[in-house]
Amino acid sequence: MRLVNSAQMEVLPNASALTLPDSISTDKPSEHVLVLITREEIQVNGRRVMSLADAETAFETDDNPLRNELRQSALRPVSGGEPGQTSRGEVNIMADRDIPFQLLRRVMSVCTEAQFSRISLAVVSQAPGAGE
């Protein structure tokens, strides 16, 4: 599987521990921070942040390991935004298709709290009508 934009190509890790959901979207995510959610753990850029077993309680605390890790990315000015407006840019999320949406929604919320301005979900691209 490859993520492609007009300037560069990123080959994502071949994560045998997860199965991506299918999609007919033609938008391709670009290279940025990668959050990987397997059936056992959550990783950021290949670094284990927490187990899924710990995730339930971690999202309820102020000391959330995922939030802390995501905040390590530098803030930068938003191009075309208001003067002084900053963001951490884009985060790409790869999650096993069997991950409950409740958990995925919480991860996306943490990404927003960490000031990522754009969140992309990695999916297996299918031709329109292929999944019908």
Side-chain angles (χ1 to χ4, degrees):
M1 171 180 15
R2 295 170 189 254
L3 297 179
V4 181
N5 72 17
S6 60
Q8 58 194 350
M9 183 179 345
E10 175 187 1
V11 178
L12 292 175
N14 184 3
S16 59
L18 57 88
T19 304
L20 293 176
D22 297 327
S23 172
I24 60 170
S25 175
T26 58
D27 294 337
K28 305 291 184 194
S30 55
E31 181 180 351
H32 294 286
V33 173
L34 175 63
V35 175
L36 183 68
I37 308 170
T38 70
R39 294 176 184 160
E40 287 97 31
E41 64 186 13
I42 299 176
Q43 300 176 8
V44 175
N45 291 334
R47 186 177 168 282
R48 184 181 189 277
V49 175
M50 71 175 93
S51 71
L52 279 193
D54 294 338
E56 184 64 36
T57 56
F59 285 111
E60 304 300 326
T61 68
D62 290 333
D63 190 32
N64 181 313
L66 177 60
R67 183 183 303 112
N68 295 341
E69 185 68 25
L70 291 173
R71 287 184 175 163
Q72 299 302 313
S73 296
L75 285 168
R76 51 188 178 264
V78 174
S79 61
E82 297 291 322
Q85 188 178 13
T86 59
S87 165
R88 288 192 165 80
E90 184 171 345
V91 60
N92 296 324
I93 300 173
M94 288 179 66
D96 188 274
R97 71 169 57 180
D98 294 329
I99 296 299
F101 182 73
Q102 177 85 2
L103 175 61
L104 187 57
R105 190 179 77 191
R106 287 180 140 180
V107 169
M108 292 167 59
S109 177
V110 168
C111 292
T112 301
E113 290 172 20
Q115 293 182 278
F116 283 89
S117 59
R118 187 172 173 146
I119 301 170
S120 298
L121 298 174
V123 293
V124 175
S125 184
Q126 290 185 340
E132 297 176 7

